[in-house]
Each structure stands twice: as C-alpha cells, then as structure tokens.
C-alpha cells in the first residue's frame, strides 16, 4: 500500500460518550474517517470501550490526522488502539501531524491508553495532545514513544502534551527527538541512550487534598505530583516491551 500512495491524507475521527441514564455509557457519536477507524468493543460495567484501528499504514509525511473525544457528565470511556502507530516517510517529503483533543466534563472519566508510537527512520511527525478537564473529571492518559524500528535510526519526532483543568494549565511539556532535534535529547539529562520513553498522567480530585509523594519507581521511572489534582509518571526503557512493563507496574501500584 505504501507504494501506491500519492496524495497526503487528512482525516478526523470523533467520539462522544454520555451517561445513558441506566448506569452505563452511551456512544451517540462514533465517527471514523479515512485511516482512522473506530470500533466499539465489549464494555466493562458502566465504562464504554472503544478501539482505534488503523485502516492503512502511516501517518506518512504530509498527512494531517486528528482524533477528538468528548466525555460528558457522568460518562466513563476507555480508548485503546489495536496496534502501534508507525510514523513513516512520505513520497513527498514533509512533516506529518497527529492531533488529539480530549474533553472531559464534571463527573466524567477517561482512560486514554493507545499503543506505542514508533518513529521510523526518515519520518517527520509532530504530535499534539490537548486535554481539557472540568474540576471533578478523572483521567488516566498513557503516551509511549519508540525511537526507530529494530536496527534503524529514528525519524524526527516532536510531541507536545497539554492538560488543563477548568482552563488552568496543569501540565504543558514538549519533547523533540531524532535528527535536527535540539542538542542533548539523547544525553544523560533526557533519554540517556534509551530507545523508548513514556509517561502516565493521572488526574483524580482526591489528589488535590492528598497529593502523591515524589519518588523513584524502580530504576527507570519517576513519579511527581503536579500543581493540582494530578500526578505525572515519566519512564525510559531499552524497548517498547520493557517500557510497558514499567508503566503498567506503576499504574497498578497507584490503583
């Protein structure tokens, strides 16, 4: 399929989750678009489950992909993906963009747990994730990035994550890796030679009263409280498998 693609792809997929009035969560909007296919899967209790399935390879250079998710008052939504996303070079050289916008109302809960993003050699990708939460919303968000496939150098990957609560910034950070990225990204202060990096953002109203204590979580992860009802876990690892094990272990401990 890569050999026949000529045009850049623009696509936006959308999800809306709402309380169904019977103790569960309804999905009045589940809109797939282009390579972004959304599938509802078996629910768990009051929580609706959605899987993001890539209908073609990419994103490639020049593509513009976006996902929007809205969780309304009292709804609970868990979103995952069927496979890793691989950023690939396009036939026409240029940066691809992948934009995620998440909104959670008061009393809503979102678990955003996609599979890894792999930055293949020669690719250029700018990822933005913006989360807007109401004051009593709950969030678990996982990001995992792998620099290059086995035996190859990574492409250029820039990722920005912003989380706001009632319009106030809880977290705003950006990481750039790969060719032409600012110096030091692979040094001891950032990745220290590791090929996989990930983070968990956990927002719970009770953290405003009893914040988590900053501490190392093993040798490869650190947990820090945020200035508000949230916590941030950052981890590095040699590969995607080890990174997932580290993050899963931290999340299980916090639960």
């Amino acid at each position: 399929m890569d050999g026949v693609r000529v045009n850049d792809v623009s696509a936006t997929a959308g999800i809306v989750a709402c309380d169904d009035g019977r103790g569960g969560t309804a999905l009045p909007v589940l809109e797939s678009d282009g390579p972004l296919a959304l599938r509802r899967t078996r629910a768990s209790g009051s929580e609706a489950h959605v899987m993001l399935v890539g209908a073609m390879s990419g994103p490639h250079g020049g593509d513009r992909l976006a996902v929007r998710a809205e969780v309304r008052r009292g709804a609970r939504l868990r979103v995952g993906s069927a496979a890793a996303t691989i950023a690939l070079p396009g036939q026409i050289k240029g940066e691809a963009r992948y934009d995620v916008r998440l909104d959670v109302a008061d009393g809503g809960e979102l678990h955003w747990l996609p599979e890894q993003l792999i930055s293949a050699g020669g690719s250029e990708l700018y990822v933005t994730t913006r989360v807007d939460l109401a004051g009593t919303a709950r969030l678990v968000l996982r990001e995992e990035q792998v620099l290059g496939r086995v035996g190859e150098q990574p492409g250029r990957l820039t990722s920005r994550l912003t989380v706001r609560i009632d319009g106030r910034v809880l977290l705003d950070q950006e990481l750039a890796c790969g060719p032409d990225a600012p110096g030091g990204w692979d040094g001891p202060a950032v990745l220290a030679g590791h090929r996989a990096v990930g983070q968990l953002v956990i927002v719970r109203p009770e953290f405003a009263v009893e914040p988590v204590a900053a501490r190392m979580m093993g040798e490869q992860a650190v947990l820090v409280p945020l200035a508000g009802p949230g916590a941030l876990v950052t981890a590095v690892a040699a590969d995607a498998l080890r990174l997932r094990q580290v993050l899963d272990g931290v999340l299980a401990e916090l639960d």
Side-chain angles (χ1 to χ4, degrees), residues 13 32 67 75 84 93 155 190 194 201 219 224 236 243:
S32 303
V67 181
K93 190 173 179 61
V190 187
H194 293 89
V201 180
E219 297 181 355
V224 295
V236 294
L243 179 66

Side-chain angles (χ1 to χ4, degrees), residues 94-118:
E95 181 183 72
R97 295 189 66 96
Y98 198 121
D99 298 313
V100 177
R101 298 290 181 268
L102 310 173
D103 293 274
V104 187
D106 275 313
E109 182 171 350
L110 173 63
H111 287 232
W112 187 263
L113 303 169
E115 293 300 308
Q116 298 91 353
L117 170 62
I118 300 173

Side-chain angles (χ1 to χ4, degrees), residues 6-24:
V6 176
N7 297 322
D8 299 337
V9 174
S10 295
T12 300
I15 309 168
V16 175
C18 64
D19 186 341
D20 67 3
R22 303 186 301 275

Side-chain angles (χ1 to χ4, degrees), residues 6 46 60 90 101 108 149 239:
V6 176
S46 62
H60 296 70
R101 298 290 181 268
R149 294 169 291 190
D239 54 42

Side-chain angles (χ1 to χ4, degrees), residues 131-222:
V131 186
D132 285 288
L133 305 172
T136 61
R138 303 173 75 87
L139 173 73
V140 176
L141 181 147
R142 182 182 68 210
E143 283 192 340
E144 297 172 307
Q145 296 157 357
V146 180
L147 304 182
R149 294 169 291 190
V150 176
E152 75 174 359
Q153 293 300 309
R156 171 67 182 269
L157 175 62
T158 304
S159 176
R160 182 167 184 175
L161 171 62
T162 306
V163 180
R164 300 187 299 183
I165 300 179
D166 285 337
R168 300 181 63 180
V169 175
L170 179 71
L171 176 68
D172 190 353
Q173 65 178 26
E174 183 173 282
L175 176 65
C177 303
D180 301 322
W185 65 269
D186 200 27
V190 187
L191 298 187
H194 293 89
R195 296 295 295 260
V197 58
Q199 57 192 355
L200 289 168
V201 180
I202 304 169
V203 177
R204 299 172 180 168
E206 55 267 31
F207 284 170
V209 179
E210 296 184 15
V212 301
R215 61 188 186 273
M216 293 295 298
M217 308 291 285
E219 297 181 355
Q220 296 174 282
V222 61

